[in-house]
Structures are given as C-alpha cells and as structure tokens.
Amino acid sequence: MIELVMFDADGVLFDSEESNVAYYNWIFARIGEPPLDRDEEIATISFAASEVFAARARGDAAKLGRMHDLTRNMDQTPFFKMLRPPIELRPFMLELKRRYKLGLATNRSATVPALVEHLGLGGIFDAVASALDKVRPKPAPDILRLCLQRAGVDATRAVYVGDSRIDREAAENAGMHFIGVGSRIEHHRLIATIADLRKALELLDASQA
C-alpha cells in the first residue's frame, strides 16, 4: 500500500508559467539580456534555475555570477502572486494527510521555504527536498531519494506526482510509482489536475493490494 504521496511543485501544485517567465525576464533585463524565447519558457517549468541560468550564460562565468547575485536579495512576492493553484490547496492536502504522509520534491531551490508559506502549506509536508539541498536536479533521482529518506518511507511504498518527462524519469530512477498531471506528460496513470488525485491514488492502492 502507498504510504507517501510526493509532489512536484511547478505544474502540479500550481500553474507557474506566467510567474516563471516574469521571474527570469526580470533578471535578464537587469543584466542586458533579451527575454526568454519560447523554448526557454517551456524549460523554466521543469528545470532548476541553475540550469536555466547556465544555459543562458553559455559558459560566461561573469554573466552567470550576475544572475545568481540578483536572486539573493530580490523580492519574490510579485512572482508568487502570479501562481495559479487549480484548487484550494491547504484543505485538499489536510484531507490527504489523514491517509498518507506527504512530501515535496522540486527542482526549485532558494524559493522553496517562502513558496510553501505563500501557498498556506506550512506544516503540511512530512518531508521536503529540493535543489537547495545541493544534490543533482531531476531527472536524476537524488532529490526524490532524499525526500524518501527524510520521510522514512521505502520507494516501493511511495508515489511521485509530476507533470513532465523529467519527473517521470526521476520517479523511475528512484524506484517509485508515478502519477502524471496535465497535458505535457504521457503515462498510463494520468490525471488532468490534482483535483483528480484521490481517485488515482485509490486505483494505485487497489493495484498494490
């Protein structure tokens, strides 16, 4: 039976495309860089900020350093306000928490603690792991394995809820079950939004009985 439900953040708990694009374009504008192109916009949903910055810097260490410097003291509030959760998250999570441990495993880094509070999810997660922990980002399994370790749950009794190919690959590499969310991912367990998650979990539990 499933003991731990582990969530990705972007594209699962909320639609973040508008927020992410605004965040990176704010940084790029201040160092004289052009805004994100469409391929970069898509990449910002799933990839760690360090990867997005590195791809744009193209080996220019000084440029990369300026990007990271800007992130250290910037006000995240305007960008958090652009996030679009599909449902009211806290009551939904509290209901899930009656049956499962809950985890958060994301390629986000420095924004994670403030993001959790902004979403009203303080005290909800039994374990959190992110790129802030200085492990390899997804699709490597490191972040998911760290979250499993912190939750004290075996991978075979955990499911990762994600919206992208790299989420699916990270779950597979970690030996976890997977539930896909949205239109950007193909999987035999697929839901439109996390509002449909309870039924998918019931089916997964039944298949493990």
Side-chain angles (χ1 to χ4, degrees):
M1 300 291 284
I2 299 301
E3 297 176 11
L4 171 67
V5 181
M6 189 188 302
F7 294 89
D8 178 35
D10 294 67
V12 174
L13 298 183
F14 44 76
D15 180 345
S16 61
E17 184 170 354
E18 178 187 6
S19 174
N20 289 344
V21 169
Y23 170 83
Y24 287 107
N25 284 344
W26 184 92
I27 292 169
F28 292 163
R30 276 151 184 78
I31 62 170
E33 282 286 303
L36 296 164
D37 63 31
R38 184 54 186 158
D39 287 341
E40 288 177 313
E41 288 179 356
I42 294 170
T44 67
I45 300 171
S46 301
F47 288 91
S50 59
E51 295 175 296
V52 176
F53 291 151
R56 175 55 76 96
R58 298 180 182 88
D60 185 331
K63 183 183 293 184
L64 183 61
R66 291 197 298 275
M67 294 177 192
H68 285 293
D69 287 344
L70 282 167
T71 67
R72 291 189 179 97
N73 298 308
M74 66 189 297
D75 180 9
Q76 301 287 344
T77 305
F79 308 107
F80 287 162
K81 288 180 178 178
M82 296 178 188
L83 301 175
R84 303 286 182 260
I87 54 175
E88 191 175 351
L89 290 174
R90 188 171 184 85
F92 174 81
M93 292 293 192
L94 285 172
E95 181 64 26
L96 277 184
K97 200 170 172 65
R98 296 171 62 182
R99 168 65 182 83
Y100 305 99
K101 286 186 175 181
L102 302 182
L104 177 66
T106 171
N107 272 350
R108 281 181 175 256
S109 54
T111 60
V112 171
L115 176 66
V116 169
E117 293 304 316
H118 173 79
L119 295 172
L121 298 179
I124 290 292
F125 296 110
D126 299 280
V128 176
S130 72
L132 190 61
D133 289 298
K134 305 302 181 184
V135 294
R136 292 181 300 168
K138 298 175 295 182
D142 302 34
I143 290 173
L144 278 65
R145 285 176 175 165
L146 182 58
C147 194
L148 286 167
Q149 178 184 337
R150 288 173 173 173
V153 176
D154 187 84
T156 60
R157 294 185 174 273
V159 58
Y160 191 51
V161 184
D163 72 309
S164 70
R165 173 188 55 80
I166 70 168
D167 294 332
R168 184 186 67 224
E169 291 177 3
E172 291 170 353
N173 292 336
M176 296 176 63
H177 300 283
F178 183 74
I179 294 174
V181 179
S183 60
R184 298 193 310 118
I185 179 70
E186 293 183 2
H187 196 262
H188 63 279
R189 283 189 292 269
L190 186 64
I191 57 179
T193 75
I194 57 169
D196 305 316
L197 182 58
R198 291 189 190 90
K199 182 61 176 177
L201 289 171
E202 289 171 5
L203 292 172
L204 178 56
D205 271 332
S207 72
Q208 302 301 302

